[in-house]
Amino acid sequence: QVQLVESGGGLVQAGGSLRLSCAASGRTFRNYVMGWFRQAPGKEREFVAAVSTSGGTTYYADSVKGRSTISRDNAKNMVHLQMNSLKPEDTAVYYCAASPYYSDVGRGAVYHYWGPGTQVTVSE
């Protein structure tokens, strides 16, 4: 069992940066692929980024590639998403999620545990 809580969301101007964090409970945190997803009003949830269990491999959606960096600290049970050059279209609720599988990291259905989400709003 893994419990996840996100933090770091807020209101930022276009071009600004935010660092989202996800705190995980449970001794098996290091066994899970960790991902970030987002959902904007009226839109479906979409994949943002994921990181392998060791942190050595990262995956990004095309929409954030080059502007975002995902990382994890297994000693502290933390996952971070650094987002730069934010755009209004990045506005969404951002969710942290944990998956026991090493494949299909961009598919929400493989993630077993989800946090409650943190709101990110990017103004013009």
Side-chain angles (χ1 to χ4, degrees):
Q1 188 89 8
V2 177
Q3 293 184 324
L4 306 171
V5 178
E6 304 92 340
S7 62
L11 174 64
V12 63
Q13 287 188 326
S17 299
L18 279 177
R19 187 186 191 221
L20 304 184
S21 295
C22 174
S25 66
R27 293 176 293 177
T28 59
F29 169 76
R30 65 181 63 247
N31 294 336
Y32 289 87
V33 168
M34 298 300 297
W36 285 94
F37 289 77
R38 66 187 182 187
Q39 187 167 20
K43 295 186 177 182
E44 293 187 353
R45 181 181 62 195
E46 64 174 359
F47 169 75
V48 177
V51 59
S52 64
T53 53
S54 68
T57 303
T58 55
Y59 311 83
Y60 297 95
D62 288 341
S63 58
V64 303
K65 194 174 295 182
R67 301 188 294 122
S68 298
T69 303
I70 187 171
S71 62
R72 69 188 294 163
D73 185 339
N74 285 342
K76 296 182 179 180
N77 282 16
M78 295 289 295
V79 180
H80 304 286
L81 181 67
Q82 176 69 42
M83 299 190 297
N84 303 319
S85 302
L86 284 162
K87 307 174 182 179
E89 49 264 45
D90 293 319
T91 295
V93 177
Y94 283 70
Y95 299 93
C96 174
S99 170
Y101 306 110
Y102 296 161
S103 60
D104 289 335
V105 298
R107 195 161 65 94
V110 306
Y111 289 81
H112 287 192
Y113 303 104
W114 294 81
T118 185
Q119 176 71 47
V120 171
T121 303
V122 184
S123 62
E124 299 275 0

